[in-house]
Structures are given as C-alpha cells and as structure tokens.
Amino acid sequence: MRLPLPELPGFDYSRASSAENALKILGGNAARTHVLLGGTDLFVQMRAGDISPAGIIDLKHIPEFNRIELEDKSGLTIGAAATMNAVARHRDVEANYPLLVEALETVASYQLRSRATIGGNLCNASPAADSAPPLLVLEATLALLSDEGERQLKLNEFFKGPGETALKPGEILASIHVPIPPTGVKGRYLKLGRNTSGDLAIVGVAVIGYPDADPASGYRFRIALASVAPTPIRVPEAERLLESTQLSDESIDRAAHIAQNVAAPISDTRASAEYRSAMVYELTKWALNDVKEMLVGEA
C-alpha cells in the first residue's frame, strides 16, 4: 500500500490575474502544468504521488472566475473558481436552484466547501462528483477558454472517463451556465455514503420533474446518476417512459429498474457492484416518488 507523501512535491506557482494572463502562462507548458481552482482534489493527488506537475496556475484571484450571476432570461452563470459555499449560500441560487444547493451541501465538510469549487469538482471528472448529477438534469453548459477563443460545451459531452474530460491541451474551464429552470420544476438529490456527512457517494441520484401538457403523463422528467458508471450519466430511456405513460407507482418502479439496468457500477473498498446496483433502483424510486408528491401536491 502506497502511503501519501508527508508534504507536497516541489512545483512552480503562478497566480493569474486574468484569463488572458492564465492562458499566456499556460502557453506551451500545458502538458506539465495544472490549473488550481480549489485544490481539494489536486493537492491530495499530488501528495499521493498520482500526479507531479511542474507548475500550477492559480485561477482563484481572477474576478470573473468568482462571479455568481443570475440573469432573468439566460439563467445562472457560475465562475469556475466560485466556491461551493459561495454558490450554495447565494440568494439567487437558493431561490431558483434548490436542487443544486441540496447536492452541494452533501460534499465533504463546510470547511472544505469554503475552498472547493464546482469547476474543480467537474474538471476532476470523478464518477462520484456530487455537482454533476444536478447540473446534468439542469442541462448546464460550460464555457471553455483557449488561445483560439471560447467554446461552449454541454456538460453531458464533457466527461470522457474517470479523471478524463473533453478539455483540450491549453484549454481552461471559465464558467458554468445553468438555464432558467422550467416553470413548476421540483427536484431531489439523494446520496448514499458510508456515513451521513462528508463521504464520497456510493450512489448519487438527481431527479427533476415539471408539468408539461405535451407528454401523455402531463410531466417531463430528467434523471442523472453518479458513482455507478465511468462517468456521471443521464437516463433518457427512463425519462421517456415516465413521460409516455400515466404517472403511477408502476411507471416509477419501471423507470427505477431502467436506471438500475443502465448503471454499470464497480466493486471497490466502499461498496460492491451488486450493492450499488440495488441502491440505484432504491434511490431512483425514492427520488421519483418524492418529486411526484411535490408535483401532485401543487397540481
């Protein structure tokens, strides 16, 4: 068993003052340089000897990377370096995106969330990332910057595998954009860990539902899972089922089974694949029933 190093290995530290400055520093050294947003995953990996960057570029002091802004028509913009606590305690996020708040408050401890960022959580690309499922069902997009300019990428296209993203060499995540939620939307994030606070997800499930006259059920649903596949995933087949038939205990049960069948969990020190699979079914069913009760209660 490899023990963590007692201290961080040496590296060159650069503090970027602007996005342009960060890209200039990154320059031709992208292969040996890592970006620092929160550092709560980066420094752990460095101490464990999993990575050894020659340089680190700190983006936390770039003003626009720390912004949290809600615009009436376009939605919420979260700078990549905004901390989880800053996002979860922002009045516009609390009022309009309670599902995101619910998920963020399951991450580690309050103290760690004062440093950890949503941007870092996404770029770390852990299958267990708690910010990913709510942002997937809220259909977030990412603004990625490079010397060639800015490109927009849907979050469901960003994750490529454990620790792997669609970021190109020399490219950095600048912000996350979350559209205005549909009218009447209700949501739940359920997370199963080994303890009640601070643990990585054994299974994470995010569900939203909202009224819509077009589908047969009168509602639309979105479902996303974490920690049960190589990347966080949506479950479109279960979503379509819930929209195409009357919303009932039977349809919810069938949708939960679909989610269970789509999941591809592994066994590790925290849980077996069989246990994770069973819990996908249970948590998806639980979250769907909670959302159903909220929707029907307002109807």
Side-chain angles (χ1 to χ4, degrees):
M1 177 175 145
R2 183 174 58 187
L3 295 175
L5 298 173
E7 58 187 24
L8 290 173
F11 58 89
D12 293 328
Y13 171 83
S14 301
R15 174 171 163 170
S17 57
S18 67
E20 294 77 12
N21 180 226
L23 292 172
K24 183 178 179 181
I25 297 170
L26 195 57
N29 300 314
R32 297 294 315 281
T33 304
H34 281 243
V35 164
L36 170 64
L37 290 167
T40 55
D41 289 309
L42 175 64
F43 291 143
V44 171
Q45 293 169 9
M46 290 174 65
R47 287 193 63 203
D50 295 330
I51 58 174
S52 184
I56 287 178
I57 304 174
D58 189 346
L59 306 184
K60 290 190 71 67
H61 303 279
I62 301 175
E64 61 266 33
F65 278 37
N66 287 277
R67 67 180 176 139
I68 305 168
E69 295 179 356
L70 178 66
E71 296 184 5
D72 292 340
K73 294 184 179 180
S74 62
L76 178 69
T77 298
I78 303 170
T83 69
M84 291 184 173
N85 276 346
V87 175
R89 294 293 178 266
H90 195 283
R91 62 182 182 181
D92 289 333
V93 180
E94 290 179 318
N96 296 281
Y97 301 89
L99 176 65
L100 182 56
V101 174
E102 185 176 25
L104 293 180
E105 289 182 340
T106 72
V107 177
S109 64
Y110 182 89
Q111 291 86 348
L112 187 140
R113 294 194 300 272
S114 293
R115 179 74 193 182
T117 64
I118 294 181
N121 194 233
L122 297 178
C123 289
N124 191 51
S126 167
D130 288 300
S131 66
L135 290 173
L136 282 170
V137 297
L138 292 168
E139 299 191 334
T141 59
L142 307 179
L144 309 178
L145 294 180
S146 71
D147 288 335
E148 298 178 358
E150 179 180 307
R151 70 177 176 120
Q152 301 288 322
L153 187 69
K154 294 179 179 178
L155 181 59
N156 63 358
E157 300 172 348
F158 183 67
F159 302 113
K160 298 301 181 183
E164 299 179 11
T165 72
L167 282 168
K168 299 176 181 178
E171 198 169 45
I172 59 177
L173 172 63
S175 62
I176 302 104
H177 178 73
V178 192
I180 296 292
T183 301
V185 69
K186 303 297 178 184
R188 282 301 312 272
Y189 180 67
L190 296 179
K191 172 181 175 177
L192 176 66
R194 292 172 299 182
N195 52 54
T196 57
S197 63
D199 194 23
L200 289 173
I202 292 173
V203 176
V205 177
V207 169
I208 65 168
Y210 56 95
D212 190 312
D214 289 337
S217 68
Y219 299 98
R220 293 201 184 275
F221 286 87
R222 301 174 195 161
I223 303 167
L225 310 176
S227 204
V228 294
T231 68
I233 56 172
R234 283 275 296 269
V235 192
E237 185 180 348
E239 297 169 3
R240 289 192 293 267
L241 168 70
L242 292 166
E243 294 166 4
S244 64
T245 186
Q246 182 179 0
L247 189 58
S248 63
D249 291 344
E250 180 184 358
S251 64
I252 287 176
D253 185 75
R254 288 171 60 195
H257 275 300
I258 290 172
Q260 181 182 25
N261 292 334
V262 167
I266 62 170
S267 296
D268 59 18
T269 56
R270 294 181 296 120
S272 68
E274 293 78 12
Y275 180 69
R276 279 192 166 98
S277 177
M279 291 302 101
V280 170
Y281 168 76
E282 295 294 343
L283 266 65
T284 303
K285 185 175 180 179
W286 183 357
L288 285 169
N289 275 314
D290 282 357
V291 171
K292 175 190 172 185
E293 288 183 11
M294 289 186 278
L295 290 170
V296 172
E298 284 202 352

